[in-house]
Amino acid sequence: MHPTVFNLAILAYTGATGLALAYLVQRQEIVHRLASAATLLGWVCHTLALVIQAVEVGRPPLENVSGAVSVAVWVVVLAEMWGERQSGLKVLGAFVLPVVLMLSVSITARPLNLREIAPVLTSAWVWVHIALALIGIAAFILNFAGAVMYLLQERQLKGKRPGAFYYRLPALETLDQLTYKTLAVGFPFLTTGLILGALWARTAWGSVLTFDPLAFFSFVAWAIYAGTLAGRAAAGWHGRRAAYFAIIGFGALVLTLGAGLFLPGRHG
C-alpha cells in the first residue's frame, strides 16, 4: 500500500472522527457536512492506496493480515456512509469512525511486505474466504456501534432527566433493529468465510486442527455471534442483553485482528 496516500487517508479519518464527535455534541448541520466530506476524502485516498497496491503486486491487496484489515476498514467506511445516507442516522459516524481510526493506525504498526506472498495464496478460494470474512467483520463493527448507541440511549431514558444524548440518538427500537439487521447480515458472511478457510487450511496446512491465534479467536468470535443470533431468534433476546453480547463479540473481533497483526502464526 502506498504509505503517503494511506497516511493522507488516516489524516482525513482523524479529522472526520473529530468532526463526527463534535456533531454529536453540538448538532450543527455544517459540522455534519464537514464530517461527511472528510470521511469521503479519507475513503477516496484509501481507495487510491489500495488500487496502487493491487497494481504493484498484481493481485487483490489481501496477501496478509495488514492488507486484509485495511480492506475491512475500507468496507466499513463505505458501509457507514451508505448506512448514514439510507437511514438518516447522522450520528452513526461518531460511533463507527473511532473504530476505523483505531484499525487504520494499527495497520501502520505492521507495514505490508509486498514480497512475502505465499504460493497457497494463488487459490481463488482464499480470496473468497478473506472477502466474505471481511464483509462479516464490517457488519459487526456497525453492530457494535448500534449496541453502544442503544446502551447510551437506554441510560438516558432511565435517568430522572434525559441528558443531552437523548435528543441526539434514535429511538431504542430503531437501534435494536440496527443491531439485529447487522448481526443477521454479518453472521452468514463470517460463517461462510470461516468454512472456506477451514477447507483451505486442510490443503495448505495439512490439518484444520493446526493451532493459529487468528483462527482460534475467529472461532471464539463466531461462537459468540452464533449464540447471540440464536438467542434473538429462539429465545427472544433484544435490547440490553443483545447489545451486551454485540459488544462482547466485538471485543473478540478486536482480539482476532490483534492476534493476526501482532502474534506469530500461520496467518501473520
Side-chain angles (χ1 to χ4, degrees):
M1 184 182 308
H2 197 285
T4 302
V5 181
F6 187 64
N7 287 337
L8 290 176
I10 292 179
L11 287 175
Y13 288 152
T14 301
T17 301
L19 289 165
L21 292 172
Y23 175 74
L24 180 63
V25 175
Q26 299 178 355
R27 289 301 294 269
Q28 295 181 0
E29 186 61 27
I30 183 62
V31 176
H32 174 259
R33 292 181 181 178
L34 290 173
S36 298
T39 303
L40 180 60
L41 176 62
W43 185 80
V44 170
C45 291
H46 197 164
T47 302
L48 182 58
L50 291 174
V51 170
I52 292 174
Q53 181 189 342
V55 171
E56 288 178 349
V57 301
R59 56 177 59 85
L62 299 170
E63 69 279 354
N64 57 26
V65 178
S66 295
V69 172
S70 180
V71 174
V73 169
W74 182 87
V75 175
V76 169
V77 176
L78 179 62
E80 187 277 327
M81 292 189 296
W82 180 84
E84 185 176 291
R85 185 177 184 84
Q86 291 296 314
S87 66
L89 190 58
K90 294 183 178 181
V91 297
L92 185 60
F95 296 89
V96 174
L97 291 176
V99 178
V100 166
L101 185 58
M102 177 191 71
L103 293 176
S104 299
V105 172
S106 71
I107 296 170
T108 62
R110 284 293 302 270
L112 299 178
N113 190 334
L114 302 180
R115 297 180 181 179
E116 296 181 359
I117 308 299
V120 292
L121 291 180
T122 57
S123 170
W125 287 109
V126 178
W127 306 123
V128 176
H129 150 65
I130 297 173
L132 292 177
L134 293 182
I135 294 173
I137 290 173
F140 290 138
I141 291 176
L142 296 180
N143 177 257
F144 167 75
V148 172
M149 285 189 283
Y150 182 95
L151 294 176
L152 285 174
Q153 185 70 315
E154 184 188 51
R155 184 174 181 180
Q156 298 290 310
L157 289 171
K158 286 187 175 181
K160 293 182 179 180
R161 290 187 303 174
F165 286 140
Y166 174 77
Y167 303 100
R168 290 164 171 77
L169 299 177
L172 290 179
E173 183 179 355
T174 301
L175 295 173
D176 189 53
Q177 283 297 311
L178 174 63
T179 59
Y180 177 69
K181 289 179 180 178
T182 50
L183 174 63
V185 169
F187 185 75
F189 282 104
L190 182 64
T191 301
T192 307
L194 291 181
I195 291 173
L196 291 177
L199 295 175
W200 169 73
R202 173 177 290 181
T203 301
W205 302 343
S207 172
V208 297
L209 299 178
T210 302
F211 179 77
D212 176 77
L214 188 148
F216 172 75
F217 285 113
S218 294
F219 176 77
V220 171
W222 177 88
I224 293 171
Y225 285 119
T228 306
L229 187 59
R232 296 202 67 143
W237 289 4
H238 65 278
R240 185 194 305 176
R241 179 181 295 180
Y244 281 140
F245 273 96
I247 293 173
I248 293 172
F250 177 75
L253 280 183
V254 171
L255 290 176
T256 300
L257 297 177
L261 286 170
F262 302 110
L263 295 181
R266 299 275 187 168
H267 284 86

